[in-house]
Amino acid sequence: MRRGRWASLALGLLRLCLAQANFAPHFFDNGVGSTNGNMALFSLPEDTPVGSHVYTLNGTDPEGDPISYHISFDPSARSVFSVDSTFGNITLVEELDREREDEIEAIISISDGLNLVAEKVVILVTDANDEAPRFIQEPYVALVPEDIPAGSSIFKVHAVDRDTGSGGSVTYFLQNLHSPFAVDRHSGVLRLQAGATLDYERSRTHYVTVVAKDGGGRLHGADVVFSATTTVTVNVEDVQDTAPVFVGTPYYGYVYEDTLPGSEVLKVVAMDGDRGKPNRILYSLVNGSDGAFEINETSGAISITQSPAQLQREVYELHVQVTEMGPVGSPAAQATVPVTIRIVDLNNHPPTFYGESGPQNRFELSMNEHPPQGEILRGLKITVNDSDQGANAKFNLQLVGPRGIFRVVPQTVLNEAQVTIIVENSTAIDFEKSKVLTFKLLAVEVNTPEKFSSTADVVIQLLDTNDNVPKFDSLYYVARIPENAPGGSSVVAVTAVDPDTGPWGEVKYSIYGTGADLFLIHPSTGLIYTQPWASLDAEATARYNFYVKAEDIEGKYSVAEVFITLLDVNDHPPQFGKSVQKKTMVLGNPVKIEAIDEDAEEPNNLVDYSITHAEPANVFDINAHTGEIWLKNSIRSLDALHNITPGRDCIWSLEVQAKDRGSPSFSTTALLKIDITDAEVRRLSYMKKSNFPGTTKPVRKPKFKPKKPHSSQGLFLHPHYEIALFNLSNMNLYSRVFQGAAQAS
């Protein structure tokens, strides 16, 4: 009958639980700007640091049951947040980027264990000024005719900044304030400044550096402004605005008595002054020939048409005209040059070089290195003359010396010519390779038996320009320094060399990078040393890495990398957790004591152990490397232990020393109290403490004490029956309760 009453009670409680309703929990809605509730209309700046607590989910359960919180994301999306299920604290776990993802969808849920309520929320990512302007559609190259009017638009650059607001607005300006160009700060349109002109013959290419700068904004709590630069290459297009120019003037020709009709006397050479798109050139004789001479209209070669015996004069003054032919074949610009032709018949003069003051066999010139290709050495005033006439005055000119650097014009002279030396290889004219270039001008007669000749030295003193970048003698520098080095200690010296001379060759050093805070560099010597206040600690940071820059006076620079390793110093003694430690040793098993040495490297942090004092001394052994302590092999029982130490119990005190392997070495001692027992005694002691059946201490029969159901989810029965904790959703568990109640009745 007693069992039947308890079964009836169980059935009644079950029906009562089934009849109870459990209402779902819900979130609080605290509105816009709140950081507590259901995340409705919640926004977060994109520069929020990872690991920040950004929101707290908050809700309640009508029955007051404990609630838990959860957050989840679409499988294809990033899991940006994590949540503390108990307190609802939401933490940012991944970096935000508004330009990539301006809103984040998440499912937040609240549960009381039975019911789960989920809501879809959208978290807005607000902008921070973390993007720099970026020029698009590079490279920028513009072709501009040299006669473009001042103020005309030349080109348009365009930079975009993916930030919003002022951080996304872009303005433009030029890096070089003395440029003939100007840029519209809002549109990026590049114009030729008012009053400025372009000249193809003076400069064929201009490099314009344009800077794009955003309007600034906040990033990680600070005001920042980003910028970007680009280069617009402005190629100047040649326009026909320069008359043709004769080369090698004045022109002198000679006719000898043995010259045959049709023979070439001399050749005039002209070129279009517009070098970019030169026109075709035609030559003609204007007057002075009296029919005795003619000129080839394409080559400029002047020939004699009669026998020298038929000529009536000793000197002929011819006027040669050169005419440019435009694109449609119409005449364009013209130029005229006089040509003097003498009638002679003897070869009794060698070619002779003349300067401005008379005959001269040495010519000197100073010029900048790397002149433009095709430039004429205008500082040289050289004339070569052979006073003979006709074939006796015809000679060749050539430069003797390093090949391919210069060429001489004209190469064939009749009687007299102005010598022109033209740059052929600008790269080879390098002050750092050779400060002086020396050549010989050689003039040798062509058609005479005597082959008279003469030479003149041409000495060119090169002037240095800033055409080199400082270069380090290594791409990276590795240094080591003891961690106990005082502030101001030298670390490593870097060296960069700029081959240029004067101020251009002076190098200034600087360092930068995340690892450079504790170091300084001497701007002139390149010596890197620690900050005066620096305190180095290999245990905190063992390696530093930063960059060193070598820069000349005009901002040309190169970079090398510096790696600094702190050498560990034995400055930490080993430390035990406690100075007095208690251990229980079971016969046959060791006990272990451990000390920690906080030094960074071996052998400073390697610890050896030893027993410094024990009485009697022949009871324990210790592993010097692991700190394990065990009884000597001869001691196999407590009786044997008591025989060694009569009159004492099984607790011993040892003094253990931990000593590191550094130099000098540090050591620490600890007192270890060891209680020794065997396995059987330890088992009986454990059972006695735990009241296990079979021990000498009686086990009390538990009294029945009904317990309060927990959250309407469980039912507690008398301990003589089956105890079942059931949930309203687990019907299989109901059947076990019914079966247990039926058996009891």
Side-chain angles (χ1 to χ4, degrees), residues 22 27 65 110 114 284 310 378 388 432 459 462 465-466 509 514 520 572 588 604 660:
N22 188 286
F27 286 105
D65 291 335
I110 183 171
L114 284 177
S284 61
Q310 297 176 303
R378 303 186 185 279
D388 292 322
E432 282 71 35
V459 179
L462 295 183
T465 61
N466 190 22
Y509 299 93
T514 55
L520 297 170
H572 291 278
N604 296 334
D660 64 29

Side-chain angles (χ1 to χ4, degrees), residues 410-641:
Q411 295 182 351
T412 301
V413 179
L414 187 59
N415 189 250
E416 185 174 282
Q418 184 76 33
V419 178
T420 301
I421 298 177
I422 301 174
V423 175
E424 282 274 281
N425 184 356
S426 175
T427 304
I429 307 174
D430 191 341
F431 177 86
E432 282 71 35
K433 293 180 180 178
S434 179
K435 297 178 175 56
V436 180
L437 296 177
T438 302
F439 298 84
K440 281 190 178 294
L441 265 176
L442 173 62
V444 181
E445 292 181 350
V446 178
N447 297 321
T448 63
E450 297 84 3
K451 299 292 184 183
F452 291 147
S453 65
S454 62
T455 61
D457 294 323
V458 178
V459 179
I460 301 174
Q461 302 283 344
L462 295 183
L463 305 177
D464 194 21
T465 61
N466 190 22
D467 61 331
N468 290 283
V469 175
K471 289 186 179 180
F472 286 97
D473 56 10
S474 176
L475 295 178
Y476 58 89
Y477 295 87
V478 178
R480 294 174 176 84
I481 182 173
E483 65 173 336
N484 61 352
S489 297
S490 298
V491 179
V492 65
V494 300
T495 303
V497 176
D498 190 329
D500 294 316
T501 59
W504 293 323
E506 296 175 2
V507 178
K508 180 181 179 182
Y509 299 93
S510 61
I511 57 175
Y512 66 96
T514 55
D517 296 338
L518 294 180
F519 302 90
L520 297 170
I521 188 169
H522 193 283
S524 301
T525 66
L527 177 64
I528 298 175
Y529 53 96
T530 59
Q531 292 271 13
W533 46 262
S535 177
L536 305 178
D537 188 354
E539 287 72 39
T541 302
R543 293 173 178 83
Y544 295 87
N545 172 219
F546 51 87
Y547 296 91
V548 59
K549 180 167 76 171
E551 186 175 11
D552 68 17
I553 195 172
E554 290 186 352
K556 295 183 178 181
Y557 70 91
S558 63
V559 174
E561 199 165 7
V562 179
F563 299 87
I564 297 175
T565 300
L566 297 188
L567 299 177
D568 187 43
V569 175
N570 191 25
D571 56 353
H572 291 278
Q575 294 291 336
F576 289 98
K578 296 180 179 179
S579 61
V580 178
Q581 301 188 27
K582 296 180 179 180
K583 303 281 184 178
T584 297
M585 176 184 288
V586 178
L587 285 175
N589 297 314
V591 296
K592 184 176 182 179
I593 191 167
E594 185 177 15
I596 304 299
D597 192 318
E598 293 182 356
D599 284 311
E601 297 178 0
E602 297 179 3
N604 296 334
N605 60 6
L606 296 179
V607 178
D608 293 327
Y609 302 88
S610 63
I611 298 174
T612 56
H613 182 75
E615 187 176 342
N618 58 348
V619 175
F620 299 96
D621 285 329
I622 188 168
N623 187 313
H625 302 302
T626 66
E628 290 185 331
I629 300 173
W630 61 91
L631 291 170
K632 291 184 176 292
N633 293 335
S634 60
I635 303 174
R636 301 180 181 273
S637 66
L638 290 179
D639 292 336
L641 186 65

Side-chain angles (χ1 to χ4, degrees), residues 651-717:
I651 298 178
W652 280 264
S653 296
L654 305 178
E655 184 181 83
V656 179
Q657 181 188 68
K659 183 177 183 180
D660 64 29
R661 300 183 188 177
S663 179
S665 178
F666 293 101
S667 64
T668 307
T669 60
L671 181 62
L672 177 61
K673 295 184 177 181
I674 302 178
D675 179 9
I676 303 176
T677 183
D678 61 17
E680 181 62 21
V681 172
R682 183 176 179 87
R683 185 181 67 83
L684 293 175
S685 175
Y686 177 78
M687 293 177 65
K688 182 177 180 181
K689 292 179 181 179
S690 304
N691 295 330
F692 286 144
T695 63
T696 57
K697 186 176 181 180
V699 179
R700 293 181 181 178
K701 185 176 182 179
K703 296 180 180 180
F704 171 69
K705 184 178 181 181
K707 295 185 179 180
K708 182 181 179 182
H710 178 67
S711 304
S712 301
Q713 297 180 14
L715 177 63
F716 293 89
L717 302 179

Side-chain angles (χ1 to χ4, degrees), residues 373-406:
Q373 207 85 353
E375 180 169 296
I376 295 174
L377 305 190
R378 303 186 185 279
L380 291 176
K381 305 294 185 181
I382 306 174
T383 302
V384 62
N385 173 264
D386 190 329
S387 300
D388 292 322
Q389 297 182 3
N392 293 337
K394 187 176 183 180
F395 54 92
N396 288 336
L397 278 178
Q398 59 181 331
L399 275 176
V400 180
R403 297 176 61 84
I405 300 179
F406 300 98

Side-chain angles (χ1 to χ4, degrees), residues 33 37 51 117 181 229 312 345 356 388 408 432 461 503 677 682 696:
V117 177
F181 304 97
T229 61
Q312 303 299 316
D345 59 351
E356 293 181 315
D388 292 322
V408 63
E432 282 71 35
Q461 302 283 344
T677 183
R682 183 176 179 87
T696 57

